[in-house]
Amino acid sequence: MSGIHRGAVAIVGAAETDELGSLPGMSMLDLHANAALNALRDAGLTVADVDGIITAGPMAMEVSDYLGIVPRYLDGTMVGGGSFMLHVRHAAAAIASGAADVVLITHGESGRSRVGMPPWNRTSSSLPGQFEMPYGALAPYSTFTLPALRFLHDRGMDIRDLAEPVVAQREWAQRNPRALKKEPITVEEVMAASPVAYPFTKDMCCVVTDGGGALVVVSAERAADLPSASRAVYLQGSGESAESPLISQMDGVSSFRGL
């Protein structure tokens, strides 16, 4: 895998959807496509240049068909929210092996409006369905409660330390015109917000939105010839790993090896 590292592969385009927030007029695939076209424009490329598609959520072939692309390379690896970090490594490997020249990594989620989204479903026959969901462990905010508490304990920290990043995020959000939550907040207000799953309160949890993003990955040689060459980001190293889908079966409750 040495050919994918040490600057041999570059990210030459990156973009989000035109809008973020509540977008009931756009489906999940619309969001993928909008972000993809924006990223290609950022790279100085077009849909006709793309021969590799990587995504998680919908099937990669759904995205390629929606964009009118007949790819040489497809990848639909899904390992949760961190999938897209693995995707950069996979794109680099595809380019280094000659399986693709221009790889488009797309994400889109109608998280708030739920337009075109598959129903959330984890059957009782799955491992989490058998051993965690019956006890209320349904999502990250309820499955990572014990790991978060152990993290705080091991470092001599308390719940106030979970609230302080929220305060800092709001301060930075005031400088970002695309941010959804810009109102200043105090540590006390974060801690007093509606409890979700101890020790997390509502303001500690992710904002659910409609939106998406995309990356364009090419070889370093190809990157040098593009108008985005001066902004290219070169891959120096990467790695991936996976652990049990059950939080209760992690080797260490305060350290997750996955990704």
Side-chain angles (χ1 to χ4, degrees):
M1 300 290 281
S2 60
I4 75 175
H5 296 142
R6 298 181 181 178
V9 174
I11 299 171
V12 293
E16 295 177 332
T17 46
D18 292 339
E19 297 180 87
L20 300 170
S22 179
L23 306 172
M26 298 185 74
S27 70
M28 173 184 65
L29 284 175
D30 286 329
L31 296 168
H32 276 264
N34 183 222
L37 295 175
N38 288 344
L40 287 168
R41 189 179 303 111
D42 183 58
L45 295 167
T46 69
V47 169
D49 296 304
V50 178
D51 59 357
I53 293 286
I54 306 181
T55 192
M59 291 188 293
M61 63 183 290
E62 291 182 90
V63 175
S64 63
D65 181 66
Y66 198 80
L67 289 168
I69 297 169
V70 180
R72 295 194 293 132
Y73 178 82
L74 288 165
D75 186 343
T77 300
M78 175 58 168
V79 293
S83 300
F84 304 92
M85 291 187 285
L86 271 68
H87 290 172
V88 173
R89 176 179 168 86
H90 293 188
I95 291 166
S97 69
D101 294 319
V102 178
V103 179
L104 183 60
I105 302 172
T106 70
H107 170 62
E109 185 173 1
S110 182
R112 182 175 294 272
S113 301
R114 307 301 298 173
V115 181
M117 293 287 290
W120 188 88
N121 182 32
R122 180 166 283 171
T123 66
S124 58
S125 61
S126 68
L127 290 175
Q130 294 178 70
F131 299 111
E132 291 189 341
M133 288 176 60
Y135 302 97
L138 303 173
Y141 57 75
S142 56
T143 53
F144 282 93
T145 52
L146 185 58
L149 288 169
R150 180 57 183 266
F151 179 92
L152 296 177
H153 175 271
D154 289 349
R155 290 158 178 78
M157 303 164 73
D158 59 30
I159 300 173
R160 291 184 62 87
D161 293 291
L162 293 179
E164 289 177 354
V166 181
V167 176
Q169 287 171 345
R170 293 290 185 90
E171 290 177 357
W172 284 105
Q174 293 175 50
R175 307 183 187 186
N176 181 1
R178 293 170 67 85
L180 298 181
K181 286 197 171 185
K182 304 178 185 179
E183 305 82 6
I185 197 169
T186 66
V187 167
E188 289 69 26
E189 288 172 329
V190 175
M191 295 176 62
S194 301
V196 175
Y198 189 80
F200 304 123
T201 66
K202 181 179 179 181
D203 286 322
M204 294 178 187
C205 298
C206 295
V207 177
V208 178
T209 62
D210 302 335
L215 298 174
V216 182
V217 186
V218 301
S219 67
E221 292 78 10
R222 182 73 176 269
D225 296 328
L226 295 174
S228 56
S230 63
R231 298 180 281 105
V233 176
Y234 295 88
L235 184 63
Q236 298 299 323
S238 65
E240 61 186 90
S241 179
E243 206 170 355
S244 172
L246 297 171
I247 303 302
S248 59
Q249 297 304 305
M250 290 164 54
D251 284 348
V253 73
S254 61
S255 178
F256 182 47
R257 294 187 305 174
L259 306 186

